[in-house]
């Protein structure tokens, strides 16, 4: 199977790494990729938002499967353009991807499907914003209706901050605050059959102790030793399958990766949000534990064959990812700084720990340079979370990037049973 992956972040590096280890993959391509992905796949220049350009590339490569990683190309209809050329694509149509592209659309689908979620208001005027904020009170949860690269949500006790964020957006969803720990659960679906993956937990705040601004994610771990063993089955029956069934009923079947962001509240499981693609950094830890070869799973979803796909196989161990972010992230990040220590991790820590590139590029002299806010995802596996965590941070300590920062408490509580 020849596979083309679209995207250039750590999520795509994790996908490419798993695909490169699949014996059924005979050729692996990625566009546009990054400095790390170049070590496992052939890179191509392409505008990831241009469906025709991506489809032309897939045809030219004689690809058997195209995997669309990021949300923006999905919402732009890139998967549709590929499928129109007769090539299986893993990723929902533009209409189905509105489940992530519009928070209001997602709320409408959940209401129709009976999926448990937070009470909410959709607001387009300052007056509606003030009414909604008054109705719920603090802490205030304000979400930009559209795509915002993981930074469109503000959770604050300060009504002025909440109001300012809401009024800076064309349309917002303001909803009640959900208490309890958060869980990310991915599911692969072909529009009918839904196959859940293993749950993970990510860390959205920039600094230790869940302090600082929201980010795209500063780390993750899997499995969740504190979670109810029945959680995955419950979410499949009450959230994932009803959502997929509702979208099919509407004539917009969802095939690809359905990501449910969940809050385990005192009143039960509630959906915080849906995403229409693999989440970053949770993908890094989930794929690290998946033993089933990835290409066949994604191809089955893309071709409507999941009903007959064998049950997934998982490692009994654990995985932890720690994100190394550039200076000033999640503000305007500084880029172009050299990254040292990557070779030492590869030489001394593999295969138990490895580095997935997020925002990197090669300099003129071949050096790896920072090229984004989240620069690297250092991922490690182990028999348990404590071991995986120790290995991840040992590798983090080998890496030098001027001005960078990372959280030191990823999976700390879960590893010690707190």
């Amino acid at each position: 199977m020849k596979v083309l992956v679209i995207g250039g972040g750590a999520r795509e590096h994790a996908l490419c790494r798993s695909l490169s280890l699949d014996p059924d993959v005979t050729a692996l391509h990625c566009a546009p990729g990054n400095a790390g992905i170049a070590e496992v796949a052939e890179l191509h220049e392409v505008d990831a938002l241009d469906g025709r350009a991506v489809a032309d590339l897939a045809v030219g490569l004689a690809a058997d499967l195209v995997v669309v990683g990021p949300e923006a190309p999905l919402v732009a209809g890139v998967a549709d353009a590929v499928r129109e050329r007769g090539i299986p694509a893993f990723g929902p149509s533009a209409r189905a991807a509105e489940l992530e592209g519009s928070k209001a659309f997602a709320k409408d689908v959940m209401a129709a499907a009976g999926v448990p979620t937070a009470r909410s208001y959709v607001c387009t005027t300052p007056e509606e914003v003030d009414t909604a904020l008054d109705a719920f009170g603090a802490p205030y949860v304000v979400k930009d209706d559209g795509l915002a690269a993981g930074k469109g949500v503000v959770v604050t006790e300060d009504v002025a901050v909440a109001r300012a964020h809401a009024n800076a957006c064309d349309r917002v969803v303001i909803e009640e605050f959900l208490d309890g720990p958060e869980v990310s659960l991915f599911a692969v679906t072909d529009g009918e059959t839904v196959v859940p993956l293993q749950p993970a937990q990510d860390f959205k705040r920039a600094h230790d102790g869940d302090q600082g601004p929201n980010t795209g994610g500063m780390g993750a771990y899997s499995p969740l030793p504190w979670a109810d063993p029945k959680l995955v089955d419950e979410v499949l029956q009450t959230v994932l399958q009803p959502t997929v069934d509702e979208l099919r009923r509407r004539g917009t079947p969802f095939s690809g990766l359905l990501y449910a962001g969940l809050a385990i509240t005192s009143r039960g499981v509630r959906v915080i949000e849906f995403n229409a693609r693999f989440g970053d950094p949770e993908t890094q830890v989930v794929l690290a534990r998946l033993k089933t070869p990835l290409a066949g799973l994604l191809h089955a979803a893309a071709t409507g064959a999941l009903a007959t796909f064998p049950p997934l196989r998982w490692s009994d161990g654990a995985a932890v990812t720690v994100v190394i972010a550039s200076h000033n992230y999640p503000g305007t990040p500084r880029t172009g700084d050299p990254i040292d220590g990557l070779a030492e991790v590869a030489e001394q820590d593999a295969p138990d720990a490895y580095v997935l590139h997020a925002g990197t590029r090669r300099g003129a002299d071949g050096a790896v340079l920072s090229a984004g806010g989240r620069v690297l995802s250092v991922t490690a596996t182990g028999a348990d979370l404590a071991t995986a965590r120790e290995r991840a941070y040992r590798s983090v300590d080998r890496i030098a990037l001027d001005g960078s920062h990372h959280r030191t408490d990823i999976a700390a509580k879960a590893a010690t049973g707190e």
Side-chain angles (χ1 to χ4, degrees), residues 4 30 34 37 67 79 123 169-170 172 202 211 303 343 356 388 409:
L4 168 63
C30 186
N34 61 39
I37 295 173
V67 180
C123 307
C169 305
D170 291 333
V172 293
D202 78 332
Q211 300 298 306
T303 56
L356 298 169
D409 62 348

Side-chain angles (χ1 to χ4, degrees), residues 21-368:
L21 298 173
D22 187 332
D24 288 337
V25 175
T26 55
L28 182 58
H29 303 269
C30 186
N34 61 39
I37 295 173
E39 298 176 8
V40 295
E42 182 180 342
L43 301 192
H44 303 269
E45 284 296 324
V46 75
D47 179 355
L49 297 176
D50 185 337
R52 176 177 291 183
V54 172
D56 286 345
L57 175 61
V59 170
L61 294 172
D64 300 298
L65 175 67
V66 176
V67 180
V68 184
E71 60 272 25
L74 291 167
V75 172
V78 168
D80 304 84
V82 171
R83 278 191 283 264
E84 286 168 6
R85 302 289 287 275
I87 297 175
F90 181 82
S93 67
R95 290 178 66 193
E98 280 298 292
L99 200 62
E100 177 171 4
S102 168
K103 304 292 190 299
F105 175 76
K107 287 290 187 182
D108 185 64
V109 170
M110 283 188 271
V115 170
T117 187
R119 293 180 298 118
S120 63
Y121 292 93
V122 179
C123 307
T124 57
T125 68
E127 293 76 22
E128 290 174 345
V129 166
D130 287 343
T131 298
L133 293 174
D134 289 344
F136 289 131
Y140 303 98
V141 181
V142 183
K143 300 180 176 181
D144 189 334
D145 180 56
L147 295 179
K151 300 177 203 168
V153 179
V154 166
V155 181
T156 178
E157 298 279 348
D158 188 331
V159 69
V161 171
R163 184 181 294 114
H165 180 64
N167 290 332
C169 305
D170 291 333
R171 183 162 78 155
V172 293
V173 173
I174 296 175
E175 62 185 35
E176 66 175 327
F177 178 77
L178 296 173
D179 64 319
E182 295 185 13
V183 173
S184 299
L185 185 61
F186 302 160
V188 173
T189 178
D190 57 11
E192 292 193 24
T193 301
V194 181
V195 178
L197 306 186
Q198 289 285 300
Q201 186 174 58
D202 78 332
F203 294 75
K204 288 293 187 199
R205 299 284 184 171
H207 307 304
D208 285 6
D210 293 328
Q211 300 298 306
N214 259 349
T215 71
M218 294 299 292
Y221 69 94
S222 180
L224 312 181
W226 49 267
D228 188 331
K230 299 176 183 176
L231 176 65
V232 173
D233 286 339
E234 178 189 345
V235 175
L236 174 61
Q237 293 170 18
T238 64
V239 174
L240 300 170
Q241 191 71 57
T243 300
V244 169
D245 291 345
E246 172 62 20
L247 286 166
R248 188 175 68 253
R249 187 191 66 77
R250 294 178 178 219
T252 55
F254 187 108
S255 71
L257 196 289
L258 178 58
Y259 166 144
L262 309 165
I264 313 302
T265 77
S266 55
R267 294 174 292 148
V269 174
R270 297 288 186 272
V271 175
I272 301 169
E273 65 176 353
F274 283 125
N275 290 335
R277 39 72 195 181
F278 279 103
D280 182 344
E282 300 97 318
T283 300
Q284 289 86 301
V285 292
V286 172
L287 292 186
R289 297 185 56 229
L290 179 65
K291 295 176 72 174
T292 297
L294 185 61
L297 173 63
L298 303 187
H299 190 267
T303 56
L306 272 182
T308 58
F309 196 79
L312 301 185
R313 295 181 294 112
W314 297 92
S315 89
D316 293 330
V320 172
T321 285
V322 179
V323 170
I324 297 177
S326 58
H327 175 74
N328 200 44
Y329 178 79
T332 303
R334 191 174 79 205
T335 60
D337 289 310
I339 304 167
D340 294 317
L342 298 174
E344 286 78 5
V345 174
E347 292 166 5
Q348 301 179 45
D349 301 340
D352 298 323
Y354 48 88
V355 178
L356 298 169
H357 292 229
T360 66
R361 64 178 177 86
R362 289 278 181 188
D365 60 355
V368 178

Side-chain angles (χ1 to χ4, degrees), residues 386-400:
T387 304
R389 190 173 182 280
E390 179 184 335
R391 289 170 172 171
Y393 279 105
R394 181 181 62 194
S395 296
V396 167
D397 288 343
R398 298 192 198 279
I399 295 171

